[in-house]
Amino acid sequence: MTGTTQRMLLPEATRAWREGVPTVIVMETGYDLSNTSTAFQQGTKTHLEQFADYPDLTDRSFKMGDMRACMAPFIANNTAGIDSYKWILFGDDDTVFYVDNALRMLETLDHTMPYILSDHIWFPTDLTNFDMSQYQHPNRIAPRCLPCNYTDPAEGPPSNKTYVGFRAPRACPCKPADVCKSDNLGLFADGDCNPARFHWFWPHGGAGMIFSQGLMRMRSYEDIELAVRSMGWAHQGAGDMAIAHIFWDEFGIMATDPGYGYFRPTINLFDPGWRLTPDGHDMGTHAAGVMDRFEMALQGWCNEECEDQLQHLISVHLGARESAWHHADVRKALKHHPSQAAADDEDLGHMHVGLFLHTRLALLFRQYSSARRLSRLPWMSHVYDTSDPPV
């Protein structure tokens, strides 16, 4: 993940869910941790943290830190060493990963295969208008692949297959040619199979992505840095957009959907997102809504669809500023926080919202997982191994 000295509350808060997970935090050039809390500094070794830095390159990005975010997984690989891991969890400082669920999903995949894993992808809602105002995430019709060995009882027999969105091919790894050959929407009808030239779909960084060791072995750090610094503006902008184009242009690899949510329209593994019903009502899929669902599940009030989402949930993007207005507990906690005593009600302090949500969601997920290990609540039997999740 990336961090800045002004926002270290958020990387510190992620310790609540990443216990035992080695972490590289990519800071701004010239960062100084001496101004962080004593507790944070003392905890860096316990929480297996390493720090690196990279310039922000603000002349070629929408926001400070975007190009640093683009470089972050390659810096992490370079810092930690490629033989020290099998998978990289990549997200923002307000992304929560549920490591148990991620491990259960990854058990069936080969870490030596080049994978970019995500099912939360930016894509336009109107295929005749590629203005950014028409983009939606997660968008279920966005192009993607499925793992080549993926099977799912929800898919049905070939004669009954219908595709609401893109007809995802099974491919290992997922290459542009595989996506183009499977195109059922006419996206590449002109015969030019070059997804990067369109600049209109990429996995959402806040929802998180998972990169395999095999992907990181494909190019050297020096080659990637040269490519990042040489990119034209059309390829840059937000960090997630930039990294997608690096993978397309330099690696020839595109996103693979883990598969489970592909055949289930109400499920997203990587961040359910801020979705509305067709008539405009809040679906409760934002971070505060997910928190509510965990609390309902622990009380036995979660229906099968709710349980299905929670048991396959890999990440949540906190969206801290918006979440403050969707949950009374968040507002109540912040109003009693010492640093918020003089805060205006219209600005409750998004970093403290993030701190609260990181901690609460991590606790709820541990309670939820523990409940199932103690057989108080059953694991749902679907595609992945439904034995107790790894500890």
Side-chain angles (χ1 to χ4, degrees):
M1 77 180 78
T2 57
T4 66
T5 49
Q6 291 78 26
R7 289 171 58 94
M8 288 309 293
L9 271 177
L10 292 179
E12 183 176 6
T14 66
R15 291 173 175 176
W17 57 260
R18 57 178 172 85
E19 184 177 356
V21 179
T23 303
V24 176
I25 302 174
V26 183
M27 304 289 292
E28 76 275 22
T29 299
Y31 72 94
D32 181 4
L33 296 183
S34 64
N35 293 325
T36 59
S37 68
T38 301
F40 177 82
Q41 295 177 49
Q42 292 176 342
T44 57
K45 185 175 181 180
T46 303
H47 292 280
L48 309 177
E49 293 166 351
Q50 297 183 72
F51 294 85
D53 65 90
Y54 195 78
D56 280 325
L57 305 180
T58 53
D59 61 326
R60 60 182 69 189
S61 59
F62 292 151
K63 295 181 295 184
M64 182 176 293
D66 278 339
M67 302 311 290
R68 184 156 44 93
C70 174
M71 284 296 300
F74 309 109
I75 294 170
N77 175 63
N78 206 38
T79 302
I82 198 162
D83 293 319
S84 68
Y85 68 89
K86 293 182 178 179
W87 303 94
I88 290 177
L89 306 181
F90 170 69
D92 292 344
D93 57 8
D94 63 347
T95 304
V96 176
F97 279 100
Y98 294 117
V99 179
D100 285 354
N101 280 2
L103 288 173
R104 291 172 64 220
M105 181 271 289
L106 292 170
E107 283 177 352
T108 62
L109 300 177
D110 178 4
H111 69 278
T112 67
M113 179 67 62
Y115 277 120
I116 306 163
L117 296 171
S118 177
D119 64 352
H120 190 126
I121 301 174
W122 283 91
F123 197 69
T125 55
D126 180 356
L127 297 182
T128 66
N129 183 355
F130 298 117
D131 184 88
M132 279 300 297
S133 64
Q134 298 298 317
Y135 278 63
Q136 172 183 308
H137 70 93
N139 193 329
R140 306 189 67 83
I141 69 170
R144 65 195 73 191
C145 293
L146 297 174
C148 54
N149 61 346
Y150 185 78
T151 60
D152 194 315
E155 181 177 9
S159 59
N160 292 339
K161 286 183 182 177
T162 58
Y163 298 93
V164 175
F166 190 82
R167 182 178 58 210
R170 285 171 169 81
C172 295
C174 182
K175 297 184 177 181
D178 300 307
V179 170
C180 292
K181 282 191 293 186
S182 193
D183 178 19
N184 61 311
L185 301 179
L187 302 177
F188 309 104
D190 60 4
D192 185 357
C193 184
N194 178 15
R197 72 183 174 91
F198 293 104
H199 314 302
W200 39 248
F201 62 98
W202 59 91
H204 180 45
M209 310 175 213
I210 300 179
F211 305 137
S212 66
Q213 183 196 82
L215 181 73
M216 292 293 122
R217 287 191 184 277
M218 291 183 69
R219 293 289 185 275
S220 71
Y221 178 85
E222 292 74 19
D223 288 344
I224 296 304
E225 184 175 30
L226 178 62
V228 168
R229 289 178 176 266
S230 302
M231 283 195 299
W233 174 259
H235 288 70
Q236 298 170 11
D240 48 11
M241 183 193 303
I243 198 170
H245 289 292
I246 287 293
F247 284 133
W248 294 342
D249 294 342
E250 303 299 320
F251 292 64
I253 302 296
M254 299 181 66
T256 295
D257 185 320
Y260 192 80
Y262 180 76
F263 296 103
R264 294 167 178 81
T266 61
I267 302 294
N268 252 84
L269 277 65
F270 289 80
D271 185 41
W274 293 73
R275 292 187 287 165
L276 302 176
T277 61
D279 56 355
H281 291 295
D282 185 352
M283 291 179 65
T285 51
H286 44 75
V290 172
M291 188 163 68
D292 280 338
R293 291 186 184 203
F294 275 122
E295 291 169 343
M296 290 169 60
L298 290 168
Q299 298 297 323
W301 299 338
C302 210
N303 62 21
E304 182 173 341
E305 179 184 307
C306 170
E307 290 277 356
D308 205 9
Q309 172 69 81
L310 295 181
Q311 291 184 20
H312 293 90
L313 188 64
I314 289 175
S315 68
V316 175
H317 186 214
L318 298 183
R321 190 174 297 279
E322 293 87 353
S323 292
W325 302 108
H326 281 77
H327 205 286
D329 284 355
V330 179
R331 295 194 297 274
K332 182 178 178 181
L334 289 172
K335 286 181 178 179
H336 289 87
H337 195 287
S339 67
Q340 295 300 315
D344 189 291
D345 282 349
E346 292 184 358
D347 184 8
L348 294 174
H350 69 276
M351 280 194 292
H352 290 291
V353 178
L355 175 64
F356 176 86
L357 289 171
H358 269 300
T359 305
R360 175 67 73 87
L361 283 167
L363 174 62
L364 287 170
F365 190 71
R366 284 197 296 270
Q367 292 174 333
Y368 181 77
S369 297
S370 177
R372 278 144 188 77
R373 279 196 291 269
L374 295 174
S375 300
R376 291 200 297 268
L377 293 167
W379 285 102
M380 300 190 70
S381 179
H382 283 312
V383 178
Y384 305 126
D385 177 14
T386 54
S387 58
D388 289 347
V391 177

